[in-house]
Amino acid sequence: MSQNPLQMSITQLAGVGPKRAGAFARLGIFTLNDLLAHYPRGYENRQLIKKIIALKHDETVCIKAVVTGELQSKLLRKNMRIHTLRVSDGTGFLELVWFNNRFLETRFKKGESYIFYGKVRMQPKKQMMTPIFEQADKQKQTGAIIPLYPLTEGLTENFVADCVRKALALCTELPDPLPLSLRKAYGLCDYETAIRAIHFPETAAACETARHRLVFDELFTFQSALFAMKQRRIRSFTAPVLSGSAAPFIASLPFTPTKAQAKVIDEIARDMADGTVMNRLVCGDVGSGKTVVAAAAMYMAVKSGYQSAFMAPTEILATQHANSLEKLFAPHGIRVALLSGSMSKGARKTVLSALEKGDIDVVVGTHALLSDDVTFKNLALAITDEQHRFGVNQRRLFSEKGKNTHVLVMSATPIPRTLALIMYGDLDVSIIDELPPGRQAIDTFPVSEDYRSRIYAFIKKEIDAGHQAYIVCPLVEDSENESLRSVTEYAESLQKTELASATVGILHGKMKPAEKDSIMNAFKQGAISVLVATSVVEVGVDVPNATIMLIENAERFGLSQLHQLRGRVGRGSSKSYCILLTQGKGETATKRMQVMKAHQNGFTIAEEDLKQRGPGEFFGTRQHGLPPFKLANLYSDMPLLAQTTKAAQDYINGKILTSAEEKRTISDKIHALFNNHVTIN
């Protein structure tokens, strides 16, 4: 049986020897199929020809012009020769400029017409810099839309494009992974047309049609895998039925929950009462009241006769949650305990025994809850706070402390709902997109280095008034870039100079957990008035007395991270401030800081963050398991998500007629997208 051309080695192409094969390998290209899936990163449209009179500064365009003079060469300095050529198209004259190109001397004939493609500049005179060119009647590099590929050392744009042409000539039949009925329903071109047009589009419209089809493929494949995983979970496990009502708990609160909180509590109640395992993410802004929602879920579990566990990323945060829950549950006789790594052996033994006997209803702890000696009598609900601080494996171990335990994970990173569905795989998603009334706005000031002395004077004034301040730096250790201040050196300098009268503490990620907790506890108790830290304070303890958040090199942080850091202040009754000290003077840095000044809503800021940085940087692809999409952008392609969501649901539910070959192709694409970690039947 002859070999499938798509599986042929890249070395089968003329011109690809061991050296170039090694270069392709660095790009993850080993077969012709890999090469065809190596999509252009962009294009140069060399089809549109502009008149010289209409040229604008800094645009890259094509012109068709006649050579009006001889090529001029001039030695500017040693090893630097400039070549100039004067051309005209009847609407004006243009000077073409090249550097150190000795091959030009025999290339032009006065009076002949050529196509030139390059970047225009208008000052000091109208010029086109280092254009590519060819005779007007012998076009190969112009008159077309030229693909620009991701490259590595040893490969050029032209060579990769030539290899793609050769691969397409060999692969004359490309199997289409999407059933014809699905393509017709969503107006998609066939796969082979899309592949040919994404590499060598004849028009801009053809390129967009191809991209639309291939992005649909990526999102459809990804979501089909997610729905398959979710369906398997729903079908595979029965879970404790927790049918208790949260109404008595809500009635005992000293405030009325927001509509968003009430809606999420209802979603959780339905999940826990239907007999299947709940796997739900609660995503909400800083201060939106996620803890109260979690408490309502624990109340329902306890009143249904089961235990609940609440895991937090740090000991001090676990202690804070335990204290809060004790107060909330006091009117209802619910027994709360804390389990942490720093407990004495005797205290730990007492808690472990009470958990096993069922004498504790709710336990709050750190990853110490994952220890083998932690045994529950009847755990039915496992809650993880600040879920991004825990790996998927830790969440799984936590849920396995009970039998088919309901799982609730919470995140303080505001994410648009559609993107949250993508990011968190097979979790159901609840969004708390409303803040409780009375939450104060934090005055935000983007400032430059010129304001530093005034900033320190303001911090000193606040400290003298009995308040506290955070100062956040982006790096722990010394950097070659002097603008990035070492946390330790910076803190020591402040203690000796501008803030000599204050008590300055240091907090960074390289400290041991016990050290971090000790420092944060001292800050919370008021023993430290200024805390110099890295972004480890992004998630943390309520310090109502802290009124200033100064962020050094603010342009180095993402908008959503800046918002999280800002949320560390404004937790008391005193007016609070966030100062964004920036070294960046560019338009992008200025625009980002103005977003922070103008907006307090985390979801609005997250939208801007996604728009400006893209989902890879926003989420952290490696940390969150997002596949490396080749074309799809989870922000700009959001309108397609609705279509692919329905298509994937219909496919998994058997509503789309699919041949065995088509199912195999879809399955293969899912394997490739998830590195063989996901299988669907």
Side-chain angles (χ1 to χ4, degrees), residues 27 121 154 258 274 276 308 319 327 365 390 470 476 483 537 550 552 649 673:
L27 295 173
R121 73 178 187 188
T258 63
D274 71 1
T276 59
S308 296
T319 303
K327 293 174 185 174
F390 298 100
Y470 292 97
V476 175
S483 68
V537 299
L550 167 61
E552 292 272 357
Q649 285 176 325
L673 195 63

Side-chain angles (χ1 to χ4, degrees), residues 533-550:
T534 58
S535 58
V536 293
V537 299
E538 176 187 343
V539 174
V541 184
D542 287 342
V543 183
N545 196 42
T547 58
I548 294 180
M549 170 62 73
L550 167 61

Side-chain angles (χ1 to χ4, degrees), residues 165-443:
R165 287 190 184 93
K166 292 170 184 174
L168 286 171
L170 289 170
C171 303
T172 53
E173 292 184 15
L174 299 178
D176 200 313
L178 295 186
L180 180 61
S181 58
L182 191 63
R183 301 202 305 270
K184 285 184 176 180
Y186 291 95
L188 304 170
C189 68
D190 66 86
Y191 184 69
E192 183 166 342
T193 298
I195 287 294
R196 293 182 183 278
I198 200 70
H199 287 288
F200 305 111
E202 294 184 1
T203 65
C207 181
E208 184 52 40
T209 298
R211 185 186 181 280
H212 180 90
R213 160 62 205 260
L214 296 172
V215 169
F216 190 100
D217 278 15
E218 287 190 327
L219 296 178
F220 170 78
T221 302
F222 183 64
Q223 289 175 293
S224 293
L226 299 186
F227 288 129
M229 287 190 290
K230 185 178 290 188
Q231 188 180 75
R232 187 181 299 119
R233 167 174 59 82
I234 291 171
R235 289 176 177 173
S236 299
F237 303 109
T238 57
V241 175
L242 311 182
S243 56
S245 169
F249 171 74
I250 293 171
S252 70
L253 295 172
F255 54 84
T256 302
T258 63
K259 290 180 181 178
Q261 285 175 305
K263 178 176 178 291
V264 173
I265 291 170
D266 286 344
E267 289 171 346
I268 292 169
R270 286 197 297 271
D271 276 0
M272 296 196 303
D274 71 1
T276 59
V277 174
M278 175 179 73
N279 263 300
R280 183 167 289 276
L281 164 74
V282 175
C283 178
D285 206 345
V286 175
S288 61
K290 296 182 294 298
T291 303
V292 169
V293 169
M298 288 185 273
Y299 175 89
M300 288 185 278
V302 172
K303 293 304 177 181
S304 298
Y306 293 91
Q307 294 170 301
S308 296
F310 189 109
M311 187 164 65
T314 66
E315 187 164 319
I316 193 164
L317 195 53
T319 303
Q320 180 175 288
H321 281 310
N323 292 337
S324 298
L325 292 172
E326 275 189 325
K327 293 174 185 174
L328 290 172
F329 290 148
H332 308 286
I334 293 176
R335 300 161 294 183
V336 179
L338 175 68
L339 186 68
S340 66
S342 67
M343 295 175 71
S344 67
K345 287 185 178 180
R348 177 182 175 82
K349 186 176 180 180
T350 300
V351 171
L352 292 178
S353 175
L355 272 179
E356 191 170 9
K357 292 176 182 176
D359 294 338
I360 292 173
D361 301 310
V362 172
V363 63
V364 183
T366 58
H367 59 276
L369 290 170
L370 303 177
S371 299
D372 291 339
D373 60 350
V374 178
T375 306
F376 294 84
K377 181 181 180 182
N378 55 359
L379 178 67
L381 174 63
I383 300 176
T384 306
D385 188 28
E386 301 303 345
Q387 66 79 32
H388 64 281
R389 296 298 177 102
F390 298 100
V392 174
N393 206 37
Q394 286 177 306
R395 284 212 318 259
R396 179 183 59 78
L397 290 172
F398 188 32
S399 66
E400 288 175 356
K401 290 292 181 178
K403 185 178 180 181
N404 299 339
T405 309
H406 295 290
V407 174
L408 188 65
V409 295
M410 302 198 297
S411 172
T413 302
I415 309 162
R417 179 181 175 81
T418 312
L419 293 185
L421 289 168
I422 288 286
M423 177 179 171
Y424 290 104
D426 65 337
L427 296 176
D428 296 306
V429 178
S430 291
I431 302 290
I432 306 179
D433 54 3
E434 179 184 5
L435 292 178
R439 175 82 177 174
Q440 65 163 298
I442 300 163
D443 287 354

Side-chain angles (χ1 to χ4, degrees), residues 8 35 66 82 93 334 352 359 380 468 523-524 638 643:
M8 287 172 57
L35 179 62
V66 173
I82 185 171
F93 290 90
I334 293 176
L352 292 178
D359 294 338
Q468 294 165 275
F523 187 58
K524 184 176 183 181
M638 201 178 292
Q643 292 184 12

